[in-house]
């Protein structure tokens, strides 16, 4: 495929704490065996498109870094330059980090936990709101990720549910209301083609058949 201005977003594969239904945030569990499989599958889906990358971006957290390296392995591209930055980290869940989501609901109530998880600007105690996450992800996107894409390089970003929701706000022109319903599946590549003005020309979700 002669794709230009290609940006691919992938949420890391299932982590050990996803499997246990825990708030993870900046905590650093690795992938489960299923997560490893999801990462390899993402690489296989990208390979079907003959997508080869110039650079990879990921967070400072091992579950995203591991997913990125497995995808590059599947593509036969293990020597690709990779930039790791905590600007792409999952949102910080503060006092919720490490808690089981059901236990958190028992402690604070269903509505309060839903607000913390899904509202745009309400942050959990000691943690970040999605708005806070957007405030660190977007400058990094504009300064580091977008320039190589606009030069015609193919860029892969492997990050987290909320840091990718922050990027989707820009790419898909979501509002603080519509982003709250956006779910990003683990290990499923989202392939964007950008126009010359950096708006989205096309968006394709590579669900495994």
């Amino acid at each position: 495929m002669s794709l230009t201005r290609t940006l691919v977003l992938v949420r890391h594969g299932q982590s050990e704490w996803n499997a246990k239904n825990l708030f993870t945030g900046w905590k650093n569990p690795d992938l489960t065996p299923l997560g490893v499989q999801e990462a390899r599958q993402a690489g296989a889906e990208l390979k079907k498109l003959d997508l080869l990358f110039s650079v990879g971006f990921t967070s400072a957290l091992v579950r995203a870094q591991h997913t990125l390296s497995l995808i590059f392995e599947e593509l036969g591209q293990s020597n690709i330059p990779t930039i790791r930055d905590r600007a792409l980290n999952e949102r910080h869940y503060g006092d919720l980090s490490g808690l089981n989501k059901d236990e958190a609901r028992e402690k604070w109530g269903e509505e309060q936990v839903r607000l913390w998880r899904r509202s745009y600007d309400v942050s959990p105690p000691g943690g970040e709101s999605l708005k806070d996450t957007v405030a660190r992800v977007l400058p990094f996107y504009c300064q580091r990720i977008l320039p190589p894409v606009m030069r015609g390089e193919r860029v892969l970003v492997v990050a987290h549910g909320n840091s990718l929701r922050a990027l989707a706000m820009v790419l898909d022109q979501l509002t603080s209301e519509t982003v709250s319903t956006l779910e990003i599946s683990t290990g499923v590549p989202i392939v964007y083609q950008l126009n010359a003005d950096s708006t989205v020309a096309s968006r394709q979700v590579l669900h495994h058949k």
Side-chain angles (χ1 to χ4, degrees):
M1 293 171 75
S2 63
L3 301 176
T4 59
R5 294 193 293 271
T6 303
L7 172 64
V8 177
L9 308 182
V10 183
R11 182 182 174 194
H12 62 79
Q14 184 194 60
S15 78
E16 292 155 357
W17 284 23
N18 291 144
K20 294 175 182 169
N21 200 30
L22 304 180
F23 285 102
T24 312
W26 286 32
K27 302 291 187 181
N28 214 9
D30 202 350
L31 301 178
T32 60
L34 173 60
V36 169
Q37 193 183 325
E38 287 177 338
R40 291 197 179 283
Q41 189 59 53
E45 294 299 321
L46 291 167
K47 196 169 189 176
K48 287 180 195 169
L49 295 183
D50 287 334
L51 265 180
L52 294 176
F53 294 94
S54 316
V55 62
F57 289 91
T58 189
S59 73
L61 300 168
V62 70
R63 57 192 184 273
Q65 295 175 5
H66 193 176
T67 300
L68 181 73
S69 66
L70 288 167
I71 291 173
F72 278 155
E73 210 174 279
E74 287 296 312
L75 292 169
Q77 281 206 290
S78 296
N79 57 347
I80 296 301
T82 298
I83 292 143
R84 299 170 172 182
D85 200 292
R86 64 182 192 185
L88 292 174
N89 278 15
E90 180 55 292
R91 85 187 245 220
H92 199 306
Y93 274 108
D95 295 355
L96 299 184
S97 302
L99 286 184
N100 178 286
K101 291 173 185 172
D102 294 328
E103 288 168 4
R105 288 188 192 99
E106 281 168 27
K107 182 171 178 180
W108 283 290
E110 179 84 40
E111 181 57 26
Q112 183 61 65
V113 172
R114 192 193 64 77
L115 257 182
W116 284 333
R117 291 189 68 195
R118 283 290 171 240
S119 72
Y120 182 62
D121 54 6
V122 179
S123 48
E128 292 180 305
S129 64
L130 181 58
K131 185 178 181 180
D132 297 329
T133 310
V134 168
R136 65 174 158 82
V137 172
L138 290 196
F140 186 79
Y141 172 70
C142 294
Q143 292 158 16
R144 304 295 303 278
I145 297 171
L146 191 55
V149 177
M150 298 311 292
R151 288 196 296 270
E153 295 177 31
R154 293 172 185 169
V155 175
L156 174 62
V157 178
V158 177
H160 306 265
N162 284 297
S163 49
L164 293 178
R165 285 168 77 214
L167 286 179
M169 281 192 77
V170 180
L171 290 160
D172 302 327
Q173 298 183 333
L174 303 178
T175 65
S176 56
E177 284 77 35
T178 53
V179 75
S180 68
T181 61
L182 175 68
E183 290 290 344
I184 296 175
S185 304
T186 52
V188 176
I190 307 169
V191 181
Y192 289 92
Q193 301 294 317
L194 301 190
N195 294 310
D197 63 357
S198 83
T199 57
V200 173
S202 69
R203 176 184 188 273
Q204 182 184 7
V205 182
L206 303 183
H207 281 294
H208 177 48
K209 304 293 182 284

